């Protein structure tokens, strides 16, 4: 129906991309994006490293793989049209040990199946041509991998929604979701909004908000803080493009890497430590409510039993700059604790199943007239416009 009201919970990049897609694809529909904060893209989008992923890592045929490859094309075109930063600086996924070569070759085949453009294997000598200060014995080079400014893109999406007659309602923290005759009532304290359909893109709060909509408990969001170092200004010249390790296939995290930003800084990180609060961007921030929820979930203990050794190692790096930079120095030899200062941190909303499995693929649930995005970790920013297409197609039964 052209005169429907569609509510979207969450003004991160996925929620805003979805609102924009509806507003443009279905003229006459009223789009209302509800955000608890006083500005858009404050959480995961606002703490993003800015990388536009090419699709190297993801299981061929998975939702994540398909939407990432599609999302890159849409995002590149959008940034060009709006004169937003988009720089194809390239990425090296680098092996530094012989035992990583097999995993690197598996990654190459996966990336080929995902149709990653212009990807090639490079030798040790070729690494030096691309990154004169890098180590490594072999690598994959993805020249089309880019960097951008995701908060700027999110703000532009919000402007598109407003220009199309929609609204972004700030300071609206959702406290209730109720099915009522003819629609759904969304509450924020004493405020009420009736919508015909509701889409939940709540990021770090996605499981909590989904429970208000009577969605199932699993998966639960486990917050992982990713901390960054910054190369000192006189050391940024050591890195030209993105330098990544060959990832550990047991984890959805990509390991500590070197990331030039559009503002000229170079980040080193992130690590992945269990945050003690959903929005625990600082080591000292603790939420008793979040910790109780974590402890009460069986999947948390199963995850801990499987991965506690890795967790201890990550915490060691969190507390010690020298430990943090130990592995990073393998990729750019000579760079260590003396060359960096502590930077910012983000929190990844990592979905966890009851059996302790870290959910890798995007996961979207349908509950009647409510659509709940339950897992949309990196590369969700890269894929945001394609995720929006997918959600809108599912909600309205369109191809």
């Amino acid at each position: 129906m052209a005169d429907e009201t569609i509510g979207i919970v969450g003004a991160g990049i996925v929620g805003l991309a979805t609102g924009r897609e509806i507003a443009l694809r279905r003229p006459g529909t009223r789009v209302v994006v509800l955000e608890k904060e006083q500005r858009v893209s404050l959480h995961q989008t606002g703490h993003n490293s800015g990388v536009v992923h090419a699709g190297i890592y993801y299981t061929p045929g998975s939702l994540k793989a398909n939407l990432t490859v599609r999302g890159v094309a849409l995002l590149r075109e959008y940034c060009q049209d709006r004169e937003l930063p988009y720089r194809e600086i390239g990425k090296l996924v680098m092996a530094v040990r012989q035992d990583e070569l097999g995993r690197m070759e598996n990654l190459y085949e996966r990336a080929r199946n995902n149709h990653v453009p212009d990807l090639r294997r490079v030798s040790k000598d070729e690494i030096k041509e691309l990154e004169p200060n890098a180590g490594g014995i072999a690598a994959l080079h993805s020249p089309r991998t880019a960097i951008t400014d995701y908060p700027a893109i999110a703000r532009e999406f919000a402007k598109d929604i407003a220009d199309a007659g929609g609204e972004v309602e700030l300071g609206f923290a959702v406290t209730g979701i109720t099915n009522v005759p003819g629609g759904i009532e969304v509450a924020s304290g004493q405020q009420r909004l009736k919508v015909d359909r509701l889409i939940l893109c709540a990021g770090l709060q996605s499981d909590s908000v989904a429970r208000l909509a009577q969605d199932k408990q699993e998966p639960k969001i486990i917050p992982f803080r990713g901390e960054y170092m910054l190369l000192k200004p006189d050391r940024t010249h050591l890195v030209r493009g993105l330098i990544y390790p060959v990832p550990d296939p047991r984890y959805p995290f990509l390991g500590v890497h070197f990331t030039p930003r559009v503002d000229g800084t170079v980040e080193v990180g992130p690590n992945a430590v269990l945050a003690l609060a959903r929005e625990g961007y600082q080591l000292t921030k603790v939420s008793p409510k979040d910790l109780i929820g974590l402890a009460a979930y069986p999947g948390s203990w199963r995850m801990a039993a499987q991965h506690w050794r890795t967790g201890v190692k990550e915490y060691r790096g969190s507390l010690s700059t020298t430990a943090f930079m130990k592995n990073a120095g393998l990729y750019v030899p000579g760079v260590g604790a003396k060359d960096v200062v502590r930077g910012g941190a983000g929190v990844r909303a990592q979905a966890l199943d009851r059996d302790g499995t870290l959910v890798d693929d995007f996961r979207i649930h349908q509950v009647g007239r409510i659509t709940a995005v339950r897992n949309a970790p990196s590369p969700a920013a890269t894929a945001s416009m394609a995720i929006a297409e997918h959600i809108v197609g599912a909600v309205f039964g369109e191809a």
Side-chain angles (χ1 to χ4, degrees):
M1 293 172 55
D3 58 350
E4 282 188 321
T5 296
I6 309 298
I8 298 171
V9 177
I13 197 166
V14 172
L16 291 168
T18 303
R20 174 185 178 275
E21 183 71 14
I22 296 170
L24 296 181
R25 192 188 294 191
R26 300 178 68 83
T29 300
R30 180 189 177 207
V31 174
V32 184
V33 181
L34 306 171
E35 169 56 47
K36 69 172 184 170
E37 305 294 354
Q38 293 301 323
R39 69 176 192 267
V40 304
S41 71
L42 186 65
H43 291 290
Q44 290 185 108
T45 306
H47 293 82
N48 193 291
S49 65
V51 177
V52 182
H53 293 278
I56 294 172
Y57 306 101
Y58 319 120
T59 302
S62 67
L63 197 58
K64 184 181 280 191
N66 294 340
L67 296 183
T68 299
V69 173
R70 168 70 176 157
V72 171
L74 293 171
L75 197 69
R76 183 193 305 115
E77 182 179 1
Y78 186 80
C79 288
Q80 290 170 348
D81 288 347
R82 302 305 175 94
E83 298 184 344
L84 294 167
Y86 191 97
R87 294 173 50 208
E88 291 183 344
I89 62 172
K91 174 195 284 187
L92 284 172
V93 181
M94 191 182 301
V96 295
R97 297 186 301 272
Q98 288 289 331
D99 63 1
E100 294 177 327
L101 294 176
R103 281 192 279 139
M104 192 184 81
E105 185 61 25
N106 291 338
L107 203 60
Y108 177 74
E109 293 302 324
R110 175 172 284 199
R112 275 173 37 115
N113 287 330
N114 288 338
H115 307 290
V116 173
D118 304 325
L119 185 78
R120 65 187 181 100
R121 304 181 187 91
V122 295
S123 66
K124 184 175 181 178
D125 290 341
E126 289 172 308
I127 289 172
K128 289 297 184 182
E129 293 173 9
L130 295 163
E131 290 282 357
N133 301 295
I137 58 175
L140 303 179
H141 182 226
S142 171
R144 301 289 291 276
T145 298
I147 55 174
T148 190
D149 183 341
Y150 285 117
I153 293 170
R155 292 192 294 271
E156 195 72 10
F157 286 168
K159 182 176 181 296
D160 290 342
I161 292 169
D163 289 347
E167 306 159 48
V168 179
E169 184 75 25
L170 302 175
F172 193 106
V174 174
T175 56
I177 297 172
T178 308
N179 284 294
V180 296
I184 301 153
E185 187 178 79
V186 187
S188 177
Q190 298 303 310
Q191 290 181 273
R192 298 288 187 273
L193 173 69
K194 185 179 177 182
V195 299
D196 295 283
R197 303 175 195 260
L198 185 65
I199 301 169
L200 309 180
C201 302
L204 287 161
Q205 307 295 338
S206 60
D207 55 345
S208 300
V209 175
R211 280 198 300 274
L212 296 176
Q214 308 303 311
D215 192 15
K216 59 186 178 181
Q217 183 177 0
E218 292 83 21
K220 184 174 179 61
I221 292 299
I222 304 297
F224 281 92
R225 188 174 60 257
E227 300 160 329
Y228 290 90
M229 301 292 174
L230 288 173
L231 285 183
K232 292 179 179 177
D234 64 346
R235 305 297 277 169
T236 58
H237 70 279
L238 296 174
V239 178
R240 293 178 176 178
L242 299 150
I243 301 175
Y244 277 61
V246 177
D248 187 330
R250 295 175 299 169
Y251 301 103
F253 312 112
L254 298 180
V256 170
H257 45 269
F258 289 81
T259 307
R261 301 294 302 262
V262 294
D263 64 2
T265 59
V266 177
E267 290 180 333
V268 187
N271 59 358
V273 297
L274 189 65
L276 303 181
R278 294 274 180 130
E279 297 163 10
Y281 302 106
Q282 296 81 34
L283 184 64
T284 54
K285 184 169 182 180
V286 179
S287 166
K289 177 184 176 181
D290 290 344
L291 287 177
I292 290 169
L294 188 67
Y297 187 60
S300 302
W301 297 99
R302 291 167 181 148
M303 177 189 70
Q306 296 175 56
H307 304 301
W308 68 270
R309 290 181 180 84
T310 300
V312 170
K313 180 181 176 183
E314 292 290 307
Y315 268 108
R316 189 179 300 126
S318 179
L319 298 171
S320 165
T321 303
T322 299
F324 188 103
M325 292 299 297
K326 182 179 179 180
N327 281 339
L330 298 174
Y331 299 90
V332 183
V335 171
K338 67 184 186 305
D339 302 300
V340 297
V341 295
R342 286 198 173 267
V347 180
R348 174 188 175 113
Q350 176 60 54
L352 182 71
D353 276 332
R354 182 170 285 266
D355 64 0
T357 300
L358 296 164
V359 180
D360 184 50
D361 204 2
F362 297 150
R363 193 174 288 184
I364 300 169
H365 294 177
Q366 200 77 33
V367 186
R369 296 168 71 85
I370 299 172
T371 302
V373 178
R374 295 297 301 269
N375 191 49
S378 178
T382 298
S384 57
M385 297 179 77
I387 294 172
E389 286 183 339
H390 177 81
I391 291 171
V392 175
V395 168
F396 295 103
E398 301 172 355

